[in-house]
Amino acid sequence: MPVLDSVTLRARDAIKGIWREAAKFGVVGILAFVVDNGGYNLLVFGLPGGAEGGVMRTAPVQASVVATAAAALFSWVGNRHWTYRGRHRAKVTHELALFLVANGVGLAITAGTVFASRQLLGLDSALSDNTARILGWVLATLFRFYAYRRYVFVAP
């Protein structure tokens, strides 16, 4: 049974490593979520209690792109230097390019849910925008976790 014990220990260590990685990824993601959604709400709806709305109140899809881009930059720094600090590439430019591609897809997913909510369903409230963005974030986060592990932050 030494082979079975060895396989069991390796499987347990792999699962533990993935959970640790997922937890760090989650912390960076939660903070990026705050940057993204906080930025979006400020751009579109302005400060709480403000009657006029934000500077991008007439451009919610573009505001989603701006907010998501700011969150992506935050995410790259956090994931590169904390979550995947032992797995990043020697060529920073190659890693950053792959990261930007993965986040471009994530950005399209998030902006796409806002587009669908606004243009296809005709919804334009803060609740509907934020619901659409949360759905987009869930889908984009699942994609990003896979893409980062598989393509962006790879072991040297």
Side-chain angles (χ1 to χ4, degrees), residues 59-115:
V61 174
Q62 292 86 342
S64 181
V65 170
V66 170
T68 301
L73 179 60
F74 174 86
S75 176
W76 180 66
V77 171
N79 280 308
R80 184 171 208 281
H81 295 289
W82 188 45
T83 308
Y84 300 105
R85 71 175 168 239
R87 293 180 53 182
H88 52 77
R89 297 173 183 269
K91 290 188 175 184
V92 175
T93 54
H94 188 215
E95 179 184 275
L96 181 57
L98 291 170
F99 182 86
L100 291 174
V101 168
N103 277 279
V105 173
L107 186 144
I109 292 168
T110 304
T113 57
V114 173
F115 175 83

Side-chain angles (χ1 to χ4, degrees), residues 9-67:
L9 287 174
R10 276 193 267 159
R12 186 191 70 202
D13 290 344
I15 290 169
K16 209 168 23 171
I18 289 172
W19 279 110
R20 192 175 304 121
E21 179 182 323
K24 288 179 177 182
F25 178 85
V27 168
V28 171
I30 288 168
L31 293 173
F33 179 83
V34 170
V35 170
D36 191 349
N37 280 302
Y40 176 80
N41 280 292
L42 283 173
L43 289 170
V44 175
F45 301 107
L47 292 171
E52 299 145 14
V55 295
M56 295 183 80
R57 66 188 159 276
T58 60
V61 174
Q62 292 86 342
S64 181
V65 170
V66 170

